[in-house]
Amino acid sequence: MSTAFITLALFGLLAIGMPVAFTLAFTGAIGLYTVGGWQALSGVLSTAPLSSVESYELISVPLFILMAEFVIMSGVADKLFAAAATWVGRVPGGLAMATALAGAGFGAISGSSTASAATLSSTTLPAMLKQGYDPKLSGGVVAISGTLAMLIPPSIALILYGIIADVSIGALLIGGVIPGILVTLVIIGTVWVLVLIEPKAAPQGRAYTLREKMQSLRVVGPMLFLFMAVTGVIYTGVATPTEASGLGAFGAFLIVLWERKFTRAGLAKALLHAAHASCMIVMIIVCAKIFGYYFTLTQSTQALVAWVSALEVSRWVILALILFGYLVLGCLMDQVAILILTVPIVLPVIKALGFDPVWFGVIVILMAEVGLVTPPVGLNVFVVARYAKRPLAEIFGGVWPHVFSHLLLVALLVAFPQIILWLPAQMGG
């Protein structure tokens, strides 16, 4: 049975709605049986589960997810938006810009894009609609701002990429800092242009006194504390990303106590949500390992690298085609599944073309951000529509300008890789 048939079967099963993990395991098992019979299949099935999850770095995934749950429990995200709105609310489109700033702040202390989108939907979107903002503009900026958690450390997606690609997770997380800031500025700039074109879409907000603005900064304290407990210790080399995840989860729990939001029911809910999300990710990793063994036995990856190396076209053309493929996949599949499925196949090609794997990791996550808001899947759009009780078409209509501006930023980062690679090069330890 050919590799092409197995790949088509994989995408066919995904298209009809079979869970990603089971699809990978089923098609991988069929492929292994056709290549090596029952002996090959039983050998892989007996070793894949343990070999998939024995990575020490994988401990950071449930801990960062738990940290995100504690941050939501503390209510800090609501206060972040209020503080940002106090500073920029007077500017035309100020509440939409404050949403981007709150998304960046929440991303810096969360790592979960879905959690970020859900939190922003229940706080910033009602505030914008109450002030008379255009629902399309409001929904679009909330959906795209939620994706910032994928890029700004701590990022679950970057950690998974690091584990799969076997590259420094610390360098990846720090490499996401400058692009994360640039994405935030791009979202703000896009809002500014949209309001310039259609002033009625965003009424001007009230002005605040300097005293009110300074008082609003109190909420920044817990955020900075948590950011330093995670990104600060990784950058200085004091702790590894795995150790930093433990510090982050504990720090977020301290914030819950500080904000007096601790309840036993809330703790149980946070632990349960973190366990659910972690089990889903681990299940996908285990099943992807089974599928990956099939590709290894058939030497499909090596054949792909050899074929690409023989092409008489610029490496930039090949890179553009790969990134376009990620954009298409992002419209159809979950981002975690995309990383686990594609990185083992694509990364050898990227290395053969002479591109940096850390730089490529950040670029891939940026493309995944775009995939989170593009139809027909667009997970963040569904989250925003559900929490805000707004039509899907309205939210999708509002994100298109942001998709375009994101793709322009990707082009900039591809043209100037040092924007991503400079900060990791300065790391201590």
Side-chain angles (χ1 to χ4, degrees):
M1 197 177 290
S2 70
T3 304
F5 178 81
I6 293 293
T7 306
L8 283 173
L10 172 76
F11 286 108
L13 291 172
L14 288 171
I16 63 173
M18 182 181 275
V20 173
F22 299 145
T23 302
L24 288 167
F26 180 70
T27 52
I30 291 174
L32 284 168
Y33 185 78
T34 58
V35 171
W38 176 250
Q39 188 176 359
L41 178 57
S42 60
V44 169
L45 291 178
S46 63
T47 58
L50 185 60
S51 64
S52 304
V53 297
E54 66 182 355
S55 168
Y56 171 67
E57 289 82 3
L58 199 58
I59 299 169
S60 61
V61 173
L63 287 172
F64 276 134
I65 294 172
L66 182 61
M67 185 179 99
E69 291 295 332
F70 282 147
V71 167
I72 294 168
M73 189 175 165
S74 72
V76 166
D78 303 9
K79 296 180 179 179
L80 275 175
F81 173 68
T86 302
W87 281 87
V88 298
R90 178 69 175 165
V91 179
L95 286 185
M97 295 176 184
T99 299
L101 293 171
F106 190 73
I109 52 177
S110 165
S112 169
S113 177
T114 308
S116 183
T119 305
L120 292 173
S121 300
S122 57
T123 53
T124 68
L125 192 52
M128 283 189 280
L129 295 175
K130 186 178 179 181
Q131 193 169 308
Y133 273 61
D134 175 49
K136 196 163 71 169
L137 172 71
S138 307
V141 76
V142 168
I144 198 71
S145 297
T147 66
L148 282 165
M150 280 193 74
L151 188 61
I152 297 177
S155 161
I156 303 298
L158 282 172
I159 291 167
L160 286 174
Y161 174 87
I163 293 170
I164 300 161
D166 195 25
V167 298
S168 168
I169 292 173
L172 280 165
L173 292 174
I174 299 304
V177 172
I178 293 177
I181 293 169
L182 289 176
V183 170
T184 307
L185 294 175
V186 163
I187 295 171
I188 290 172
T190 305
V191 168
W192 180 76
V193 171
L194 290 172
V195 174
L196 202 65
I197 295 168
E198 185 55 64
K200 291 180 182 178
Q204 198 168 25
R206 59 163 284 207
Y208 291 86
T209 65
L210 183 60
R211 184 178 178 180
E212 286 175 315
K213 288 180 178 179
M214 297 310 294
Q215 285 177 337
S216 73
L217 292 179
R218 288 177 184 173
V219 71
V220 177
M223 189 189 84
L224 287 177
F225 161 72
L226 204 52
F227 187 74
M228 287 308 300
V230 177
T231 309
V233 297
I234 295 172
Y235 181 74
T236 54
V238 172
T240 65
T242 309
E243 293 160 348
S245 67
L247 288 171
F250 181 65
F253 182 69
L254 291 180
I255 291 174
V256 171
L257 296 177
W258 176 262
E259 296 288 338
R260 298 180 181 179
K261 294 291 180 70
F262 176 78
T263 61
R264 280 191 292 183
L267 176 62
K269 185 179 178 182
L271 291 170
L272 189 62
H273 283 183
H276 279 169
S278 303
C279 287
M280 179 195 72
I281 291 170
V282 168
M283 189 68 177
I284 294 174
I285 291 172
V286 170
C287 295
K289 190 86 168 182
I290 297 168
F291 190 81
Y293 272 119
Y294 167 69
F295 265 80
T296 302
L297 284 176
T298 56
Q299 295 192 319
S300 301
T301 305
Q302 295 92 319
L304 181 64
V305 172
W307 178 73
V308 169
S309 301
L311 290 175
E312 295 183 2
V313 294
S314 165
R315 65 178 188 151
W316 299 103
V317 173
I318 297 169
L319 178 67
L321 290 172
I322 290 171
L323 294 181
F324 178 74
Y326 273 105
L327 183 62
V328 173
L329 285 176
C331 300
L332 303 170
M333 290 172 63
D334 172 73
Q335 272 58 43
V336 171
I338 291 171
L339 288 176
I340 293 169
L341 185 61
T342 63
V343 170
I345 301 166
V346 171
L347 194 64
V349 177
I350 290 296
K351 287 180 177 177
L353 293 172
F355 292 112
D356 188 282
V358 171
W359 165 84
F360 181 69
V362 175
I363 294 292
V364 164
I365 301 306
L366 256 173
M367 296 303 292
E369 273 193 25
V370 177
L372 273 172
V373 294
T374 46
V377 176
L379 184 60
N380 267 29
V381 175
F382 280 87
V383 170
V384 172
R386 189 184 71 185
Y387 276 82
K389 295 180 173 60
R390 304 296 305 185
L392 269 174
E394 181 181 280
I395 314 294
F396 275 124
V399 297
W400 280 118
H402 296 285
V403 169
F404 179 72
S405 56
H406 263 61
L407 293 177
L408 289 178
L409 178 60
V410 169
L412 177 71
L413 295 174
V414 167
F416 301 99
Q418 282 307 117
I419 297 174
I420 294 170
L421 297 174
W422 177 77
L423 203 56
Q426 315 304 314
M427 285 174 66

PDB file of all heavy atoms in Angstrom, residues 5 65 77 81 230 380 413-414 427:
ATOM      1  N   PHE A   5      -1.448   6.722  -0.680  1.00  0.00           N
ATOM      2  CA  PHE A   5      -2.770   6.219  -0.296  1.00  0.00           C
ATOM      3  C   PHE A   5      -3.009   6.412   1.206  1.00  0.00           C
ATOM      4  O   PHE A   5      -4.090   6.832   1.631  1.00  0.00           O
ATOM      5  CB  PHE A   5      -2.900   4.735  -0.651  1.00  0.00           C
ATOM      6  CG  PHE A   5      -4.224   4.142  -0.242  1.00  0.00           C
ATOM      7  CD1 PHE A   5      -5.356   4.317  -1.033  1.00  0.00           C
ATOM      8  CD2 PHE A   5      -4.338   3.440   0.953  1.00  0.00           C
ATOM      9  CE1 PHE A   5      -6.587   3.784  -0.645  1.00  0.00           C
ATOM     10  CE2 PHE A   5      -5.562   2.907   1.347  1.00  0.00           C
ATOM     11  CZ  PHE A   5      -6.684   3.086   0.542  1.00  0.00           C
ATOM     12  N   ILE A  65      -0.347  24.733  31.152  1.00  0.00           N
ATOM     13  CA  ILE A  65      -1.809  24.753  31.010  1.00  0.00           C
ATOM     14  C   ILE A  65      -2.456  25.048  32.365  1.00  0.00           C
ATOM     15  O   ILE A  65      -3.401  25.837  32.458  1.00  0.00           O
ATOM     16  CB  ILE A  65      -2.318  23.419  30.443  1.00  0.00           C
ATOM     17  CG1 ILE A  65      -1.827  23.223  28.999  1.00  0.00           C
ATOM     18  CG2 ILE A  65      -3.846  23.361  30.473  1.00  0.00           C
ATOM     19  CD1 ILE A  65      -2.109  21.853  28.420  1.00  0.00           C
ATOM     20  N   ALA A  77      -6.928  38.875  34.064  1.00  0.00           N
ATOM     21  CA  ALA A  77      -7.143  39.260  32.661  1.00  0.00           C
ATOM     22  C   ALA A  77      -8.170  40.385  32.548  1.00  0.00           C
ATOM     23  O   ALA A  77      -8.004  41.303  31.738  1.00  0.00           O
ATOM     24  CB  ALA A  77      -7.600  38.049  31.850  1.00  0.00           C
ATOM     25  N   PHE A  81      -7.388  44.351  30.887  1.00  0.00           N
ATOM     26  CA  PHE A  81      -8.130  45.111  29.884  1.00  0.00           C
ATOM     27  C   PHE A  81      -8.547  46.473  30.427  1.00  0.00           C
ATOM     28  O   PHE A  81      -8.428  47.484  29.729  1.00  0.00           O
ATOM     29  CB  PHE A  81      -9.372  44.330  29.443  1.00  0.00           C
ATOM     30  CG  PHE A  81     -10.281  45.117  28.534  1.00  0.00           C
ATOM     31  CD1 PHE A  81      -9.878  45.464  27.254  1.00  0.00           C
ATOM     32  CD2 PHE A  81     -11.530  45.534  28.965  1.00  0.00           C
ATOM     33  CE1 PHE A  81     -10.696  46.201  26.418  1.00  0.00           C
ATOM     34  CE2 PHE A  81     -12.365  46.260  28.138  1.00  0.00           C
ATOM     35  CZ  PHE A  81     -11.945  46.597  26.856  1.00  0.00           C
ATOM     36  N   VAL A 230       8.685  33.147  34.723  1.00  0.00           N
ATOM     37  CA  VAL A 230       8.756  32.208  33.597  1.00  0.00           C
ATOM     38  C   VAL A 230       9.811  32.653  32.585  1.00  0.00           C
ATOM     39  O   VAL A 230      10.896  32.086  32.499  1.00  0.00           O
ATOM     40  CB  VAL A 230       7.375  32.054  32.914  1.00  0.00           C
ATOM     41  CG1 VAL A 230       7.471  31.127  31.708  1.00  0.00           C
ATOM     42  CG2 VAL A 230       6.340  31.529  33.895  1.00  0.00           C
ATOM     43  N   ASN A 380     -10.470  29.811  17.081  1.00  0.00           N
ATOM     44  CA  ASN A 380     -10.667  31.004  17.910  1.00  0.00           C
ATOM     45  C   ASN A 380     -11.956  31.740  17.561  1.00  0.00           C
ATOM     46  O   ASN A 380     -12.604  32.321  18.429  1.00  0.00           O
ATOM     47  CB  ASN A 380      -9.470  31.951  17.767  1.00  0.00           C
ATOM     48  CG  ASN A 380      -8.425  31.722  18.836  1.00  0.00           C
ATOM     49  OD1 ASN A 380      -8.281  30.610  19.341  1.00  0.00           O
ATOM     50  ND2 ASN A 380      -7.714  32.758  19.205  1.00  0.00           N
ATOM     51  N   LEU A 413       9.416  38.917   8.534  1.00  0.00           N
ATOM     52  CA  LEU A 413      10.244  38.043   9.374  1.00  0.00           C
ATOM     53  C   LEU A 413      11.000  37.011   8.550  1.00  0.00           C
ATOM     54  O   LEU A 413      12.071  36.555   8.938  1.00  0.00           O
ATOM     55  CB  LEU A 413       9.367  37.344  10.418  1.00  0.00           C
ATOM     56  CG  LEU A 413       8.711  38.256  11.457  1.00  0.00           C
ATOM     57  CD1 LEU A 413       7.760  37.473  12.351  1.00  0.00           C
ATOM     58  CD2 LEU A 413       9.759  38.962  12.306  1.00  0.00           C
ATOM     59  N   VAL A 414      10.432  36.629   7.405  1.00  0.00           N
ATOM     60  CA  VAL A 414      11.141  35.724   6.484  1.00  0.00           C
ATOM     61  C   VAL A 414      12.309  36.463   5.829  1.00  0.00           C
ATOM     62  O   VAL A 414      13.407  35.922   5.687  1.00  0.00           O
ATOM     63  CB  VAL A 414      10.171  35.168   5.411  1.00  0.00           C
ATOM     64  CG1 VAL A 414      10.941  34.498   4.273  1.00  0.00           C
ATOM     65  CG2 VAL A 414       9.205  34.169   6.045  1.00  0.00           C
ATOM     66  N   MET A 427      20.911  35.153  25.101  1.00  0.00           N
ATOM     67  CA  MET A 427      20.505  34.454  26.329  1.00  0.00           C
ATOM     68  C   MET A 427      21.689  34.075  27.200  1.00  0.00           C
ATOM     69  O   MET A 427      22.772  33.751  26.712  1.00  0.00           O
ATOM     70  CB  MET A 427      19.733  33.170  25.983  1.00  0.00           C
ATOM     71  CG  MET A 427      18.313  33.399  25.503  1.00  0.00           C
ATOM     72  SD  MET A 427      17.554  31.862  24.949  1.00  0.00           S
ATOM     73  CE  MET A 427      17.475  30.958  26.504  1.00  0.00           C
TER      74      MET A 427
END
